[in-house]
Amino acid sequence: MKIRTTLFVLAGLIIPTPLAAQTAALYEISLDQRIEKASAIVEGRVVSQSSFWDEQEHLIYTSNRVEVYRVFKGDRASDEIDIVTYGGVIGHRAQVVHPALQLAPGDVGVFFAAAPRAVSKTSTVDHSLQFSPYASVQGFARYDEAAGTASDVFHVYADIVEDLHARLVEKLGAPLLLRDYKPPEPQSLSAKTQQVPVITSFSPNPITAGNAAVLTINGTGFETYGGAGSNSVVFFPNADDGGGTLNGTPDSEVESWTDTRIEVRVPTRAGTGAFTVQTAGNSQGSSATALTVDYNLINVAFQGFKRTILEAKNNGGYSLMMSTNTSNQGVDFSTSTAVGPFERALATWQQTTGFNMRNDGGTTTSNVVAPNDDPDIVLFDNDSNPLGAGILGRAFSGFSSLTGQDWYVAGVDIQFRRDGTDNITWNFGPTATGFCCFDFETVALHELGHAHQLGHSISPGDAMHFQIANGTDVRTPNAVEIGGGNDVLDFSATKPNGMVRLNPVGIEDEQAPELDGLRLSAAYPNPARGEAVFSVEVERPKSITVEVFDVLGRRVMRLYDGLLAPGGATDFSVSSRELPPGVYLYTVRGESTVLTRSLVLMP
């Protein structure tokens, strides 16, 4: 069966266990611990999905109906259960979720299940048969039926029966067999009778994910496309877990497929690494070299993948409110030490991309996380609504659409773990973070990046990398991430009521591109890999200076200093061969006027 990706997002970071000398934000829950703590462990396949609101209609969940093959632990009375995961689409409203297990019809493997976090009061499902994944993304060991292996975030089980089932049987005893399903055996290349696909070349490289960029794959043995629901699929490393698992292209993202050439749109959540072609006959072949995914954008899964649009909701963007609620051991965010680093992180995105999200809405007594509804709040967790173990923060994005085509960000709620809970200590800066602590500004920058509609990356040290280390400061997005942010804002600007960009240096030349007879164009392309060109035009002879500055205000280039005559635009260029990757401000200065725009140079 074809493994598909779903995409319903609440964005977040996961943290290591207390006192662990590791640098991963996602920490391992051992197989033995999952066996012990899970209330039910079953082998089965996802056969259908349906989404529902929680009782208060604040959060959307998806119920994944699992046809059970074996029961290793738990209730043995039913041959079907529901695994409830975060996020989903209901009508023309949606929510998308990190970190969270993402399932799709056809997924098969071993589920480690716990009591559900939420059920719907209108559901007709037997709630006693509803479960949530224990340890979130680690609550499922997915089978690769073509290779005869299983994998979770941290492990590949080379033999499903010998390496995975045997450990379960050792701890729990023989399972109850409910259906006649034989786990696939490991296959060597010599044991395969079908032709193995061979990838000879692909382009472009690098590429982007989630913005409909098309990857062309050349080779042999791809077979013909099997159509919807078939085994024909291209798998990409999953950026949400550093490539520990794979995401497959849905049918909607396949442009063309022949025996020697495939064209697919690189889907959201794809990350850097080798990719794999799986044929209709269930044979697989991987690229010999890595595909570099520059950045990854959040999408909504509705009749294919749809790009999301930042809205001019309030003064051209979004106006955040800080929660003052202290019920159930909560903390007033508005008076906490966290305000300073949060606003520094927010200012960083504002200054590098013009992201129009502002912490100017004042305060609210609400502590309700409901991203599709007002207000858009920033808050700490509390005892009645705690962030799960291992999670430092989450950005909850809600979406709405009139027709199902254009999906706008209806709202964003951002929640952080309280200082001192679960043995977590924050560094609120601005000094460097010691090994004892986690940097609040770094985590805030990451969560605000998700609010900016950026997904995770597979590049350690990136602001949007899925991991965050204690004792680590990543307080500035890199040029590639800024390019992704600009991509979102440029796309949003093409839509009715799209976000109005903030000017990073205070001169709103987007609204007033001409001042005192002086005109400065936008650079193209922007972001640029190689050369970017912009132009200056004057209505009358004018002495001007054209210069380029870095984000710290240091001049790095002077392109022109002298008299410019009217009669057409004069072009100037800036190249990544002359300047390192990063964000730059280019200016034209007249006798009494300065116009400034931003430019991103990519490696």
Side-chain angles (χ1 to χ4, degrees), residues 62-82:
T62 292
S63 183
N64 303 270
R65 177 61 54 88
V66 174
E67 183 179 73
V68 178
Y69 298 152
R70 287 172 173 81
V71 179
F72 292 95
K73 181 180 181 180
D75 184 2
R76 303 182 178 212
S78 175
D79 59 0
E80 288 187 341
I81 64 171
D82 287 315

Side-chain angles (χ1 to χ4, degrees), residues 298-321:
I298 289 172
N299 291 176
V300 167
F302 182 87
Q303 298 174 1
F305 283 162
K306 301 296 193 300
R307 290 191 62 172
T308 57
I309 303 163
L310 291 169
E311 187 176 0
K313 184 177 177 181
N314 188 333
N315 292 325
Y318 298 82
S319 187
L320 299 173
M321 301 183 74

